[in-house]
Each structure stands twice: as structure tokens, then as C-alpha cells.
Amino acid sequence: MNIETKLEEATGPEDVGAAIVDLLIERRKLDAGGLDRARRAGENGDEHLHTILVKLGLVAERDVAEALAAVLDLPMVAADDYPEEAVLDEGLSPKFLKEARVVPLAETPEGIVLAMADPLDDFTVHAVEIATQRAILRRVAVPADVERAYERIYGRGGTAIGQIVEGLDETGIESAGEDAERLKDLASEAPVIRLVNALITRAVEARASDIHIEPFENNLRVRYRVDGVLQEVESPPSRLRAAVVSRVKIMAKLNIAERRLPQDGRVKLAVRGKEVDFRVSTLPTMHGESVVMRILDKGSTVFDFSALGFEKDILKVYLEILRRPNGILLVTGPTGSGKTTTLYTSLLRLNTPDKKILTVEDPIEYQLEGVNQIQVKPQVGLTFAHTLRSILRQDPDIIMIGEIRDLETARIAAQAALTGHLVLSTLHTNSAAATVTRLLDMGLEDYLLASTLIGITAQRLIRTLCPHCREAHPALPELIEELQLRRFTDDDPITLYRPVGCARCNGTGYHGRSGIAEMLVMSDEVRRLTLRRAGELEIQRAAVEAGMHTLYEDGIRKALRGSTSLEEVLRVTRDT
């Protein structure tokens, strides 16, 4: 008998709560350690256990909502099920709906359909029944969806951030800018905390990778980087910039009195039931400190090559090189091109009981089970080069270097590869062929490079088209001729796809990102070119003749399949 069938016999809230927990464990959304932690946290309170699980970041809101729907045998409310205008606008107070976290969906002959963040809330159901003199049909809703729908339907032009700012006592805000103690007090007030939490929550919900908080003379600008593109969002008033920045610095355990020097820190928060790591960087600018928060959401990061967008032919070559016992394998590309994710995915593939893996990183983005990870600390002399010398005495099989930044690090990596280690690392170059010339220009000896380098992957991230609104269109004959699209497909006519925009992709036409890559294998011909210090174009030509697909060609293949648009491929690959 499965768990859903057993739940039909559940009668009281305790039975329902136990059934929800059992279902979450069965679905592998919760483990025994997390359950024990939640039970200890709820010993002295009267909150539902599943509510505590969300607050502690042990289970995502959506997972709990899905479990509730299964346990109570109730339908789930989708994000596009909410009405455009208020239902029963005259009968129910918006303030009551907000506090109860419910939104009426429709009025039917059977009764009022009510989206509920907490479908176990009998008090709210009875209150709505009395107010409307109608039966209530409960529906299970994700709390974040309820809050967004409420703001859209009942906000009356006021936003959540605007409402928080309105409730802020502004006494002393303007004069607190230079007083560290007053700033600390102000940043610890509930409205400022709610304001910063709202900015962070919205960023996570928008699938942002970074939050940019930038002070200017007359305004404070907040932008989210979503799918690699910055988008400006609603910002707090300029007068709150010192308080907002100070709040972020307090969260990251930074020195709020130090505004003249850059600072770096980390903070872990539970956002919508998910534990999310944030890497915080502050930088002094003319009008105050600029803050960037990198969102490291491991729950949304998939360490799987197929999910990363690697084509089968490229992945086959990459995995063959990854299986070699020694040599240097490099992953290259600009900042934010997914290099670290590719390396982590590679390490998880190599992580077996008979292999010892050591990494040297700055910073450590994700913690990998079974991998020894080292954070460099240049301020105390623990640099990449210094750490690598010590690492070799630890008898590793595989070494991952976060980035080759200088000649010393490159030489030690080459020596490690010569002595029987597999070395994985990254480099900031625009193409695979450019990596060879970059290392030679850095000063690495050509014979050392030719004998240790086994492969180079260059990659980029491109936005993928929203599957709900993308639009197919025939390619223009001039475009087919200019881009030589006939090389990539036998279809006639050749079809391309363009972004349109809908509610599911926030009107952008794109949703998510995927990788494009080129894989250069160090063949005998490429080694000969390396030894005579040939140029980038000559090395690229030899690699293509040996079967390498370039970044541009990999992108065109994805565009013809409808994964992305031709414009996006050209935007990302125009510098290669």
C-alpha cells in the first residue's frame, strides 16, 4: 500500500502532519537528520512540523505543498490559475486575505474556490464561509505564488517593498551614514531586515545568479542577473542605501565601520524553504559601497553533463580525456560561463573510493562530499602556488586548481601532471586554441606544455528559449547563404525560432541557460604547432581539421533544434 492510500484514513492534524513527513521522506525530499532537527526546533511551539521544515530551509515550499496536496487529496494551484481581478472584492477584506495567506480563485455553483498557503487552516475557512455564506473548496497553493498573486490583485498600486518602506521610521536615517553604531542599530530594525529579505527572496524566485546593489548620487539601483543578463528591479529609496548595505554586511559578518576597503564574506539563508549560500562582495565607490551577492543555490544546480548542454559527440571526447591517468585538462571561458560547474561535475564523475581528490579554490563555491577542498588565503601566504607544493605531499590522484593565474601556478600544475597526476583547472580565454598561446605568452615552456596538456574545453552559456512561447519561422535565403546553414541540417525549408515572451518567462522569451562548447584534443599536429609557437588561428585550423566543432557551430546546432535563437548564438559567440 503506497503512502497516498494510507492517508485516506488520517483524521486529525497530527495524522496529516505525520503523513506529510512520511511522504517527504519517501520522495527523498527529507532525511532523518533534518527531521530530528525540525522536531527539536518545534518542541516548545505549536507550529505544524512541515512549517518548521520550511522555515529551517530543510524542505522547499513547493515540495511541502505537493505533499499536502497528495495527503489531503486536494488539487494544486498552478501559477497561472490565479484570476486577473479580485473575486468577491466587496465581501472579503484584503488585509484579512493577506494575513491568512489565501486568494479566492473563482465563484462556482459548488462554492468559493480558495487558494490556501495552509490548507489545514480551519479558522480561515470558517471565517470565509461566514462572510460569504457559501461553501469553501480548498486548494493547495505554494506560498510564494499566493503572495505574488495577492500583490498583483490587491496591491492597489503599492508594492511589497513600497509598503515596507512606508512603515519605516525615518528619524535619523539621513544622519546615520557616518555613524557605525547608529547604522548597526538601523540595519537591525525589523523594516530594514524585511526590506533586504524581500530583495533576496525576489532574486531567488527570479532564478537570479547575482544581486547588484549600486549606490549613485540620486538613487540606489538594484539589479538581478537572470540567465546571464542584468535586469533592473524595484529599488529602495536612495536615503536607505547605507542601511541596506549595512544590513547585508552584518549578515555576511563583515566590518560595517570599514568603508574604504573591499570586503568579502559568505552567508547561508533559508529562502522559501531552501538553504541558499550567498557570496558577498563589497567595493567602495564614489557614492557609497557597491554590493554584489552571488547566489549559490546548490538545489537548482545540476551536476550532470547532459543537463549542462554537452552534445553527445563532444561529451564522448571529453569523458575519454577525463579517464586518462595523468595530464592537464583545462576548461576555459569568460567569467560566468559555467567553468566551475563543469569542473565540479567532472570531479563527481571521478570521485570513487579508490581515488583521492584535492582541490585548491578561491572561493569554494559548493562543498562536494568525499572531495578534500582547500580555500586559498593570500593574506596569510596561502596562495595557489604555495598550496600546490604542499598538496603533492598528500599523495593525491586528481588535483583541481580553481584557476591558473600566473606562471608559477602553471609550472607546478605541469610538474604535477608529469609526475602522474590528473590536473583539472580553468583559464580565462575566448577559445580553446587561444589557451595554448595564452600559456606560452605567460612564460610556460613550450616543451612542458606540449607534453602535459591533454585537452581544452572552451564553453559559454546561452539562454534557452521559453518552450511555452517560442515561435518558429523559416530562415531567410540570404541568412542561409551567409551563415552556411546547409552544413548543419538537411531540413527543407530550414526553420529557426525566435523569442516571444509570456508570463512564464516574465516576458523575456527565454527561460534558463544551457552550455555550448568546443573540445580541442592535443593531437600530434597540435603538439607540433605548440612546439614551434604557432599562432591561435593556425592551431584552431588544425583542431577543426581533426574534427573539432567550434563554439559557433555548436550554438548553430542548438538554434536549428529550437533550443535557442540565432540572435542569442551570435551574441554569445561574436568574440570567438
Side-chain angles (χ1 to χ4, degrees):
M1 182 186 298
N2 63 27
I3 195 77
E4 283 90 344
T5 306
K6 291 192 292 182
L7 293 173
E8 293 179 359
E9 302 173 2
T11 54
E14 291 183 2
D15 291 334
V16 172
I20 290 169
V21 169
D22 288 345
L23 189 55
L24 289 170
I25 292 174
E26 183 178 279
R27 292 177 174 178
R28 297 184 179 179
K29 304 296 184 181
L30 177 66
D31 57 27
L35 178 58
D36 289 341
R37 181 180 163 194
R39 281 177 172 156
R40 288 196 302 272
E43 283 176 353
N44 301 320
D46 56 359
E47 286 185 300
H48 296 306
L49 186 58
H50 60 267
T51 304
I52 297 170
L53 288 169
V54 171
K55 284 188 175 180
L56 293 177
L58 299 171
V59 184
E61 278 185 339
R62 185 169 295 278
D63 293 331
V64 169
E66 290 172 352
L68 270 167
V71 167
L72 301 173
D73 194 23
L74 292 173
M76 276 279 293
V77 181
D80 52 4
D81 288 342
Y82 293 89
E84 291 298 321
E85 297 180 350
V87 175
L88 302 173
D89 198 16
E90 300 298 322
L92 297 171
S93 159
K95 183 178 179 182
F96 167 78
L97 296 176
K98 182 177 182 179
E99 291 175 352
R101 297 191 302 161
V102 297
V103 171
L105 297 179
E107 189 173 7
T108 69
E110 293 78 21
I112 306 297
V113 182
L114 196 63
M116 305 183 68
D118 181 9
L120 299 175
D121 184 0
D122 292 329
F123 173 81
T124 296
V125 171
H126 295 324
V128 178
E129 281 178 338
I130 293 169
T132 62
Q133 295 297 303
R134 298 291 307 280
I136 301 302
L137 307 176
R138 307 188 198 204
R139 298 290 183 266
V140 182
V142 179
D145 292 344
V146 172
E147 291 171 17
R148 276 195 296 268
Y150 175 88
E151 187 175 313
R152 176 172 54 81
I153 299 169
Y154 300 99
R156 311 296 186 198
T159 63
I161 288 178
Q163 292 167 14
I164 293 170
V165 171
E166 284 176 13
L168 184 63
D169 180 6
E170 299 190 20
T171 305
I173 288 179
E174 296 288 352
S175 59
E178 298 301 322
D179 189 328
E181 286 304 317
R182 291 178 68 185
L183 262 180
K184 188 173 182 180
D185 292 340
L186 181 61
S188 301
E189 288 184 5
V192 175
I193 293 172
R194 289 204 308 273
L195 180 60
V196 173
N197 287 348
L199 292 174
I200 291 171
T201 301
R202 285 187 169 190
V204 174
E205 289 174 353
R207 302 177 296 102
S209 60
D210 301 87
I211 305 171
H212 293 247
I213 303 172
E214 304 160 311
F216 293 95
E217 184 176 5
N218 299 314
N219 68 303
L220 177 66
R221 183 164 66 172
V222 177
R223 295 189 289 175
Y224 299 157
R225 189 177 294 280
V226 182
D227 295 336
V229 178
L230 281 171
Q231 301 176 0
E232 191 160 356
V233 298
E234 182 189 7
S235 305
S238 178
R239 64 184 181 275
L240 294 179
R241 58 189 173 194
V244 169
V245 170
S246 295
R247 176 60 195 163
V248 174
K249 290 171 75 173
I250 288 171
M251 292 165 66
K253 297 180 173 59
L254 302 179
N255 181 2
I256 68 168
E258 179 56 78
R259 306 184 193 90
R260 300 164 302 172
L261 297 172
Q263 295 186 68
D264 295 297
R266 291 182 81 112
V267 59
K268 181 176 288 187
L269 300 172
V271 181
R272 295 295 184 193
K274 298 188 296 182
E275 270 203 349
V276 182
D277 278 335
F278 296 84
R279 198 170 76 221
V280 180
S281 170
T282 69
L283 188 70
T285 66
M286 181 181 293
H287 300 290
E289 289 177 283
S290 173
V291 177
V292 175
M293 302 178 71
R294 168 63 60 89
I295 301 173
L296 304 171
D297 183 3
K298 190 173 182 179
S300 65
T301 304
V302 182
F303 296 114
D304 180 77
F305 284 113
S306 58
L308 296 180
F310 276 74
E311 295 290 329
K312 289 182 179 179
D313 54 347
I314 295 174
L315 181 58
K316 181 182 177 183
V317 176
Y318 183 86
L319 292 179
E320 285 174 358
I321 292 176
L322 200 60
R323 284 192 286 267
R324 296 191 187 180
N326 54 64
I328 299 175
L329 173 59
L330 295 175
V331 180
T332 72
T335 301
S337 59
K339 302 186 297 295
T340 302
T341 303
T342 298
L343 284 186
Y344 279 175
T345 306
S346 303
L347 290 180
L348 289 174
R349 175 70 70 109
L350 295 168
N351 189 16
T352 56
D354 61 329
K355 293 280 191 297
K356 177 160 184 174
I357 303 175
L358 283 165
T359 75
V360 192
E361 304 172 62
D362 183 24
I364 296 172
E365 293 201 4
Y366 298 106
Q367 295 179 28
L368 303 178
E369 188 69 31
V371 176
N372 298 279
Q373 295 172 269
I374 303 163
Q375 168 74 57
V376 302
K377 296 184 178 67
Q379 61 270 27
V380 295
L382 192 64
T383 61
F384 276 110
H386 184 271
T387 308
L388 281 171
R389 291 193 193 93
S390 302
I391 269 185
L392 295 176
R393 303 188 197 105
Q394 290 281 312
D395 187 31
D397 297 291
I398 299 160
I399 299 169
M400 193 270 270
I401 306 168
E403 182 186 346
I404 293 179
R405 297 179 178 176
D406 51 45
L407 176 59
E408 189 178 10
T409 304
R411 279 180 174 155
I412 297 172
Q415 292 295 338
L418 281 175
T419 52
H421 302 88
L422 178 63
V423 179
L424 280 63
S425 189
T426 70
L427 204 64
H428 286 93
T429 56
N430 289 331
S431 67
T435 306
V436 177
T437 56
R438 174 68 58 83
L439 288 168
L440 290 172
D441 292 342
M442 195 181 283
L444 189 63
E445 292 80 358
D446 48 21
Y447 65 88
L448 206 54
L449 182 59
S451 58
T452 57
L453 192 59
I454 54 176
I456 307 165
T457 299
Q459 64 181 60
R460 297 286 190 282
L461 291 177
I462 55 171
R463 293 181 292 171
T464 53
L465 287 168
C466 174
H468 303 287
C469 65
R470 68 177 184 177
E471 183 178 87
H473 64 95
L476 294 172
E478 297 84 359
L479 199 62
I480 294 172
E481 184 67 28
E482 181 183 350
L483 301 179
Q484 300 180 20
L485 298 183
R486 295 282 177 203
R487 293 190 296 135
F488 303 97
T489 180
D490 295 326
D491 294 346
D492 195 10
I494 293 178
T495 301
L496 293 171
Y497 297 80
R498 62 166 68 99
V500 176
C502 65
R504 301 197 189 194
C505 61
N506 291 323
T508 64
Y510 296 95
H511 190 278
R513 288 192 292 175
S514 180
I516 56 172
E518 62 184 24
M519 184 74 224
L520 186 153
V521 180
M522 289 295 287
S523 62
D524 291 340
E525 178 60 24
V526 174
R527 285 196 175 90
R528 277 194 292 272
L529 292 172
T530 302
L531 288 170
R532 67 178 179 84
R533 295 178 171 268
E536 175 187 339
L537 291 177
E538 202 172 346
I539 293 172
Q540 171 124 343
R541 196 177 303 116
V544 169
E545 288 174 359
M548 181 183 85
H549 292 290
T550 65
L551 284 166
Y552 167 76
E553 291 170 340
D554 194 31
I556 291 293
R557 289 193 288 180
K558 286 182 168 61
L560 291 170
R561 281 207 306 268
S563 300
T564 189
S565 65
L566 182 61
E567 293 79 10
E568 179 68 6
V569 173
L570 296 175
R571 179 185 74 85
V572 171
T573 62
R574 63 189 173 194
D575 61 341
T576 61

